[in-house]
Amino acid sequence: MNEFIKYTVNIAKGLHMLCSGMYITMLNMIRPKITEQYPENRGKKTYFENFRGELVMPHNENNEHKCTACGICMMNCPNGTIQIVTSVLTDETGKNKKALDRYVYDLGSCIFCALCTSSCPQGAIQWTNAFEHAVYTKDKLKKQLNREGSTLMTKNRQ
Amino acid sequence: MYSFKDITDGIDSILHLFLNDTFATLAELILAGLALIGAYAVLALTLIYAERKICAAFQCRIGPSRTGKWGVFQTVADMIKILFKELIRLDHNDRFLFRVAPFIVIIASMCTFAALPFAKNLHAIDFNMGVFYLIAVSSLGVIGILLAGWSSNSKYTMIGAMRSGAQLISYEISAGLSLLAVVILSGTMKISEIVEQQSEMWFIFRGHVPAIIAFFTYIIAGHAETNRGPFDLPEAESELTAGYHTEYSGIQFGFYYLAEYLNMFIVAAIAAVMFFGGWMPLHVSGWDGFNYIMDCIPSFIWFFGKTFACVFIALWVRWSFPRLRIDQLLNFEWKILMPICLINIILMSLIVVF
């Protein structure tokens, strides 16, 4: 008799567990779906703020950037992704000053470690969420971050 | 369109205009066969699509969504692909049995499929021991599975086939016994009569507790018979790659795939016929207005609605529970399910007698 009670209790317990399992799967069934339909949701989806997609150098409306061409980012970069080409300018006081000529960033060799942005004393470069990097040739991954004819932002304008 | 009698009688009279009796019957047989094969293929595609969509929903995905609106043509594309695939020839196997095995599986499934009442007066095979026939032919498929496992000459297929054999032979008993409970309640084995008797109320409501128990035991045993749900040991992909159809490719594999899905449909359809009245609309005696509204819904919609509800239960169970071990599987059958079925039959007999 004792055995029989155990047997029936066992079946009842099993049934209860099966029902609770099916309840959980049903909850999952009616939950909103998390699949992202990529080409359709292009531009509609917001990504995490700290997702590192691509390095950019923000410019203001006067085509000015904050990069002083100090080269710290280039030195910090672990695999030579950043190349800074400078030219020397002489200002009105007669002092020689380095100015940014071209800021070349090779997306193909970047490991997205963010040592450049964290070490930049001016906050001149930052990350965006852009992730559609596919191109047909490797050269297209080499990008110039400063725009044509851009100059250094002066202090009083800031 | 509540009844298909006009259409079938119309075809019959047209054939009799041109042919004599023998040839008219022959032509009708061929037409019915073709219609069944067509329905078989279309249903298989629908079921595979439904399975993929519902599985996706259970896993918080969307499922096929690229081929056509909501991916409805995905299974059609898959079918075309599988038709063009190469049939790989194996060395060191029993070539004749290897070729024959998929046909046995699909013929067994077709034979069962033909005996289902799809709608009012749309019932190909109907004779006085229909339930017995259903149980008998639906278990023929295991021969094909065993042959496939044997003739492939591979350890995976052999183990898969042996598991399938053990599983099917065990669970066939429970399935038969739970259908027997309904047969006791209805007093007949003829499927059309079983459906006709449920015009007042479906058996699951009329049969008190034993009918409900019989429904659940049948659903469990049916899942095990079709090698699905938590009972998919014969093709346990993590252990046996693909089980008994590991060595098959192309349309030969497609046959197993089709038969698997259609067996799921057949089990659901038998459950719908025996417990939910098949194509019979929901009638409550006394509520004439309600009964009239229910009669307005076509009978094939009732049948397919009920069947797909049962298919949904199968998928729900499949995505809820982990796969059983072979000893747990057999313990479950012989120590729990079969005693319950036997007690249920006694209960049902008591209810019918008193």
Side-chain angles (χ1 to χ4, degrees):
Chain A
M1 200 62 207
N2 203 13
E3 281 293 310
F4 181 72
I5 290 168
K6 251 193 209 167
Y7 173 81
T8 37
V9 166
N10 193 19
I11 291 175
K13 267 187 188 168
L15 271 179
H16 172 73
M17 280 160 114
L18 292 182
C19 288
S20 56
M22 285 176 77
Y23 170 71
I24 288 170
T25 42
M26 190 36 100
L27 284 187
N28 272 308
M29 162 107 189
I30 53 180
R31 220 163 62 179
K33 307 292 167 259
I34 55 167
T35 308
E36 296 294 345
Q37 300 225 294
Y38 163 59
E40 283 87 8
N41 73 357
R42 218 168 160 183
K44 288 175 208 156
K45 168 131 178 76
T46 51
Y47 297 91
F48 294 112
E49 230 173 63
N50 52 0
F51 168 66
R52 298 167 197 161
E54 188 185 3
L55 195 66
V56 292
M57 181 179 285
H59 288 62
N60 67 3
E61 65 274 13
N62 297 318
N63 203 11
E64 292 170 335
H65 55 78
K66 292 184 194 165
C67 181
T68 55
C70 60
I72 292 175
C73 53
M74 183 167 73
M75 284 184 279
N76 270 320
C77 185
N79 49 358
T81 296
I82 298 168
Q83 290 296 324
I84 295 176
V85 183
T86 54
S87 54
V88 179
L89 292 178
T90 317
D91 61 357
E92 56 269 22
T93 53
K95 264 201 274 184
N96 279 351
K97 245 188 157 179
K98 260 209 281 192
L100 185 66
D101 213 13
R102 286 190 297 127
Y103 190 104
V104 181
Y105 165 64
D106 184 6
L107 189 59
S109 65
C110 181
I111 60 165
F112 306 97
C113 60
L115 286 178
C116 48
T117 47
S118 56
S119 66
C120 182
Q122 310 293 330
I125 44 178
Q126 47 181 247
W127 292 100
T128 61
N129 291 334
F131 61 92
E132 291 160 329
H133 297 315
V135 285
Y136 284 103
T137 53
K138 228 172 149 185
D139 308 336
K140 285 186 182 158
L141 289 174
K142 275 205 169 173
K143 292 174 181 180
Q144 186 180 333
L145 294 193
N146 60 324
R147 291 187 199 149
E148 279 306 312
S150 59
T151 50
L152 181 64
M153 210 180 276
T154 47
K155 282 253 169 70
N156 48 12
R157 256 205 200 122
Q158 261 178 329
Chain B
M1 198 162 62
Y2 181 60
S3 167
F4 280 84
K5 199 166 177 51
D6 303 339
I7 298 172
T8 48
D9 282 357
I11 293 172
D12 185 52
S13 53
I14 289 169
L15 283 174
H16 274 98
L17 284 181
F18 302 110
L19 303 163
N20 63 18
D21 274 1
T22 321
F23 283 101
T25 314
L26 194 66
E28 276 165 21
L29 287 176
I30 291 169
L31 277 179
L34 287 178
L36 281 171
I37 289 174
Y40 193 87
V42 171
L43 266 176
L45 292 183
T46 324
L47 277 169
I48 294 170
Y49 175 71
E51 149 115 20
R52 292 179 68 175
K53 272 297 197 195
I54 292 170
C55 292
F58 275 117
Q59 297 167 355
C60 274
R61 296 185 284 117
I62 294 176
S65 64
R66 297 286 143 164
T67 328
K69 183 82 174 159
W70 304 305
V72 281
F73 296 118
Q74 185 63 56
T75 47
V76 180
D78 286 348
M79 184 194 70
I80 293 167
K81 183 202 74 173
I82 216 165
L83 284 175
F84 284 117
K85 270 186 149 182
E86 185 192 355
L87 294 176
I88 296 166
R89 276 184 55 163
L90 303 178
D91 289 338
H92 313 299
N93 70 343
D94 192 328
R95 213 154 276 157
F96 175 69
L97 292 183
F98 189 75
R99 291 271 167 80
V100 163
F103 288 102
I104 294 178
V105 172
I106 205 144
I107 285 170
S109 155
M110 269 297 301
C111 286
T112 330
F113 185 72
L116 297 174
F118 292 102
K120 194 172 187 181
N121 297 318
L122 200 66
H123 192 172
I125 305 176
D126 182 29
F127 48 97
N128 56 3
M129 45 164 216
V131 178
F132 183 70
Y133 171 80
L134 279 182
I135 298 172
V137 276
S138 66
S139 49
L140 272 181
V142 75
I143 297 175
I145 290 174
L146 283 172
L147 283 185
W150 172 254
S151 63
S152 301
N153 195 15
S154 147
K155 53 187 179 295
Y156 294 132
T157 59
M158 195 64 217
I159 295 171
M162 281 298 142
R163 282 183 181 184
S164 180
Q167 182 176 327
L168 207 123
I169 288 163
S170 317
Y171 279 84
E172 193 68 18
I173 296 170
S174 284
L177 287 178
S178 36
L179 290 185
L180 203 58
V182 182
V183 171
I184 291 169
L185 181 62
S186 65
T188 175
M189 273 195 167
K190 192 172 181 177
I191 288 175
S192 57
E193 238 171 80
I194 288 176
V195 173
E196 209 57 59
Q197 283 191 8
Q198 301 182 64
S199 58
E200 289 295 307
M201 198 67 225
W202 299 344
F203 276 155
I204 194 149
F205 302 124
R206 244 176 62 190
H208 308 287
V209 183
I212 295 167
I213 296 175
F215 173 66
F216 282 109
T217 47
Y218 180 71
I219 282 285
I220 294 170
H223 287 182
E225 260 189 83
T226 52
N227 302 332
R228 289 184 60 82
F231 309 109
D232 54 351
L233 296 143
E235 40 197 304
E237 56 265 42
S238 50
E239 305 154 28
L240 301 177
T241 56
Y244 54 85
H245 55 63
T246 305
E247 305 291 347
Y248 283 93
S249 62
I251 192 64
Q252 289 178 329
F253 165 72
F255 277 174
Y256 284 108
Y257 202 57
L258 278 187
E260 186 194 328
Y261 279 89
L262 257 296
N263 282 337
M264 180 173 77
F265 178 82
I266 287 163
V267 163
I270 294 174
V273 168
M274 303 298 274
F275 298 100
F276 295 101
W279 50 262
M280 191 56 82
L282 179 61
H283 285 162
V284 182
S285 54
W287 300 6
D288 289 334
F290 178 77
N291 292 350
Y292 180 72
I293 294 167
M294 288 294 147
D295 281 343
C296 288
I297 302 171
S299 51
F300 65 91
I301 289 186
W302 276 105
F303 175 76
F304 284 105
K306 288 167 192 173
T307 308
F308 276 98
C310 291
V311 168
F312 178 76
I313 294 176
L315 295 175
W316 186 8
V317 166
R318 178 179 178 185
W319 294 102
S320 299
F321 306 133
R323 184 182 301 134
L324 271 73
R325 224 167 46 211
I326 186 75
D327 61 321
Q328 293 169 335
L329 183 90
L330 296 179
N331 269 346
F332 179 63
E333 158 64 19
W334 293 103
K335 290 186 181 167
I336 296 176
L337 210 56
M338 202 180 72
I340 289 177
C341 282
L342 289 171
I343 293 167
N344 191 37
I345 283 185
I346 297 169
L347 263 179
M348 186 58 105
S349 329
L350 287 176
I351 281 178
V352 170
V353 170
F354 299 109

